[in-house]
Amino acid sequence: MGTHSGVLSGRELGGYRLLHQVGAGGAGVVYLAQRTDRPAELFAVKVIAPSSGDPHDTLRPRFLREAAAAKRLRHPRILPVLAVGEADYVLYMVLPFMPGGTLATRVGAFPRGMPLARVVTALGQLAEALDYAHSRGIVHRDIKPTNILLDADGALSLADFGIARVFADLSASQPGTPTTLTATGQVLGTPQYMAPEQVRSGPVGPAADIYALGVVLYQMVTGAPPFAAETPMALAMKQATEPPPPLRLQRPDLPVPAEAAILRALAKRPEDRFSSAGALLRAFAAGVDGQWDASLASMPDSADTRPASALVRPIPLATTVQDLSPRGLRAATTRPISSPWVGWGRAGATILLTLVLATMGYLGVTRLMGSLGKTATTALAPVFQPDQVYDYHDYALTQAKSNPGYGPGYTFTVALKSLSVSSADGGMSLIIEVDNFDHTYTADFALRTLANVSLVDDAGHRYVASVSTPNEVLVAPGQKVTAVVRFPALRPGVRSLDLTFNTDHQALEPRCARLLPTGTVTAC
């Protein structure tokens, strides 16, 4: 199947006019579309058209499988199928338009890993959707960040059941529906997120989705999936044979129990993983709080699934001090084993205990002083103030790029002019400028959904844009347009604001810029 970028732009399918391509994958090409009778309503239309490399007769049952599987699922965290049809040998499926983009966009804004509290929230939404699908007898088989979409509020929805394996009959009215639609020698899925049994073309059940969710969780925590390779085959072999790299080497603030939860989800054998996505969520959430979930107590000791750091349980401090006491040392000398402490006696043990306690005291004081120093430094950091205008000197939010939906040479830049905080209501006004350098194409810069622009402060609070003036920018060739985006009231004491920004309904690469009250911009 070819991507046929832009081929169907402007065409009408079943009462929907296709605007331009916004995504592509193994299950089809996705276009932004509008209702012909209500142009203000936007949708996503996935299409599959025949090509010389993949006959339409082969694609048709797979596409209809996706529609049938998705129609069975009615859950707020699963993207619903609104309509399915066929016109002039083009199969299409109408879906809600998700203006927040994909989880890949959100993860990309945090190259060193997302804040752990946000990871728990995202995992909770995905686990809820996945457990629901499994309860209905459907395995997704291709869970990855690009198949996880965000709505205007940043909530996640699981999409694209295009290669879902239905291990129960689709319905009583469709007897004989095949349960596998793979070509000879072909493995369906994405190697970066495929479970070992999926790589080996073995039986695939819900445990494969748990593995893929574990890979996504690993990526949210560290900023990258556990495995990388030059070829898909080499990548798949790593999934099947190599243990994942320890997470705490990349994310030192990750508690050991949380790391253990992720690594159990990535166990090579399906039976060694969690029994459900909800069980993974509970173990990981407890681990983020530094607690060991009961399910981790029965972790298998197979060395090929986890590094040793995941199997080490923390030893309570009181136990350590008690074992080093003179009484404890005397008791140890009575055991018939060789010990380096034999012969030290009470005096030596007392000296050792004193050194240990002194070291602990020194470390405690050092940590306390460091914390106080950090608090004092933070208190002096500048914060955003009411009745102030912060000039950001035309910072380029989106560089000039080519839009594949309109052809080469379609370029423009969106620059950040300033941010002001009102003294009356505390609301924020973000001023941006769209500069269309190209002299052939009109710049379609849609702001009416307002989901393309959001602010997150240093405490993790998200501000959703409420209005923009104008609410849609269509920049003529060679022109500039200034737009003002309004946000709700700013909370007091904010030291930084992460601006997540994109244009043209995710057709261009997203940008994330950290705004500081000093009038400077840094990377998120």
Side-chain angles (χ1 to χ4, degrees), residues 308-330:
S309 61
L311 302 176
V312 177
R313 302 297 193 269
I315 302 175
L317 180 60
T319 303
T320 306
V321 174
Q322 181 181 5
D323 289 344
L324 292 176
S325 66
R327 179 179 299 177
L329 289 174
R330 277 203 312 274

Side-chain angles (χ1 to χ4, degrees), residues 264-512:
R264 176 161 190 173
L266 298 178
K268 301 302 180 188
R269 299 188 305 175
E271 60 270 24
D272 290 340
R273 300 171 202 148
F274 291 99
S275 60
S276 67
L280 168 58
L281 167 66
R282 290 187 292 273
F284 179 75
V288 169
D289 292 334
Q291 304 296 322
W292 285 93
D293 185 76
S295 63
L296 297 177
S298 60
M299 288 180 64
D301 293 330
S302 50
D304 64 331
T305 59
R306 293 171 308 282
S309 61
L311 302 176
V312 177
R313 302 297 193 269
I315 302 175
L317 180 60
T319 303
T320 306
V321 174
Q322 181 181 5
D323 289 344
L324 292 176
S325 66
R327 179 179 299 177
L329 289 174
R330 277 203 312 274
T333 60
T334 63
R335 299 174 184 174
I337 59 174
S338 176
S339 171
W341 311 117
V342 176
W344 269 49
R346 181 184 299 271
T350 302
I351 293 174
L352 178 60
L353 177 60
T354 303
L355 290 174
V356 170
L357 294 177
T359 302
M360 291 170 53
Y362 171 79
L363 293 176
V365 172
T366 302
R367 181 175 298 178
L368 176 62
M369 295 301 293
S371 176
L372 292 175
K374 182 178 180 181
T375 302
T377 302
T378 304
L380 296 176
V383 299
F384 286 94
Q385 300 289 347
D387 203 18
Q388 295 287 331
V389 177
Y390 301 94
D391 184 8
Y392 291 104
H393 313 288
D394 297 327
Y395 178 82
L397 293 167
T398 301
Q399 303 288 348
K401 293 182 180 296
S402 174
N403 185 335
Y406 288 96
Y410 175 66
T411 57
F412 64 88
T413 294
V414 180
L416 170 63
K417 305 290 288 185
S418 65
L419 176 73
S420 60
V421 183
S422 170
S423 59
D425 59 359
M428 296 175 285
S429 295
L430 185 76
I431 300 179
I432 55 180
E433 182 181 76
V434 184
D435 191 346
N436 186 10
F437 295 102
D438 188 80
H439 291 274
T440 306
Y441 298 96
T442 298
D444 176 12
F445 176 68
L447 274 175
R448 60 185 166 206
T449 64
L450 295 176
N452 288 334
V453 186
S454 65
L455 293 170
V456 179
D457 63 25
D458 50 343
H461 182 75
R462 186 170 184 262
Y463 304 85
V464 180
S466 56
V467 67
S468 65
T469 307
N471 64 354
E472 185 174 38
V473 179
L474 296 177
V475 187
Q479 288 187 346
K480 292 183 180 181
V481 171
T482 299
V484 180
V485 186
R486 289 281 297 169
F487 292 87
L490 180 68
R491 303 197 305 177
V494 172
R495 300 178 178 86
S496 67
L497 288 166
D498 286 356
L499 171 62
T500 303
F501 186 85
N502 199 5
T503 65
D504 204 16
H505 300 289
Q506 301 291 328
L508 300 180
E509 292 184 9
R511 296 294 299 273
C512 181

